[in-house]
């Protein structure tokens, strides 16, 4: 059985995202596939005690999708999905919603 591919081989993953995954304790594609992008973003903001750019949610959506067996897609293809999801249910990522409200949207 082949070894699982490391997180670093996912599309859209660079040093910053690998650092975020490390902070969150995500060490494998299997762990990431079980995550919810919005809750993962909230957890990252809570752990680091700072609001991260809401586009981080898009990266999480893209990488989670890839880990679930979908073809890799650039993170910005997930931006409309995030905006629709947050507009329909701000509780999905309260930190992102509060920040978007203050800044006019990300």
């Amino acid at each position: 059985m082949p070894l699982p591919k490391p997180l670093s081989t996912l599309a859209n993953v660079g040093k910053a995202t690998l650092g975020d995954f490390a902070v969150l304790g995500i060490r494998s594609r299997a762990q990431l596939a079980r995550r919810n992008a919005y809750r993962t973003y909230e957890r990252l903001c809570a752990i680091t005690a700072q609001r991260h750019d809401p586009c981080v949610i898009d990266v999480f959506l893209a990488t989670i999708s890839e880990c679930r067996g979908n073809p890799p897609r650039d993170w910005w293809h997930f931006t409309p999905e995030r905006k629709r999801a947050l507009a329909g249910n701000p509780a999905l990522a309260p930190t992102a919603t509060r920040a978007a409200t203050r800044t006019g949207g990300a």
Side-chain angles (χ1 to χ4, degrees):
M1 179 179 220
L3 292 174
K5 292 181 182 178
L7 292 168
S8 62
T9 62
L10 290 166
N12 303 294
V13 172
K15 283 184 177 184
T17 302
L18 284 174
D20 292 343
F21 291 158
V23 165
L24 291 161
I26 300 170
R27 296 178 195 9
S28 72
R29 288 174 176 239
Q31 283 180 306
L32 187 56
R34 293 188 299 268
R35 293 293 188 120
N36 172 290
Y38 303 96
R39 300 288 173 243
T40 302
Y41 173 82
E42 283 300 311
R43 184 75 184 129
L44 178 65
C45 292
I47 290 170
T48 61
Q50 65 180 10
R51 183 193 73 82
H52 293 262
D53 189 302
C55 291
V56 172
I57 298 170
D58 306 341
V59 174
F60 289 163
L61 287 165
T63 55
I64 290 167
S65 174
E66 187 176 347
C67 287
R68 291 178 178 168
N70 297 308
R73 293 178 60 205
D74 293 324
W75 65 265
W76 56 85
H77 290 285
F78 291 85
T79 302
E81 177 182 332
R82 171 192 31 103
K83 288 182 175 184
R84 277 191 307 274
L86 293 179
N89 186 0
L92 283 175
T95 302
T97 305
R98 287 191 304 272
T101 301
R102 284 194 305 271
T103 63

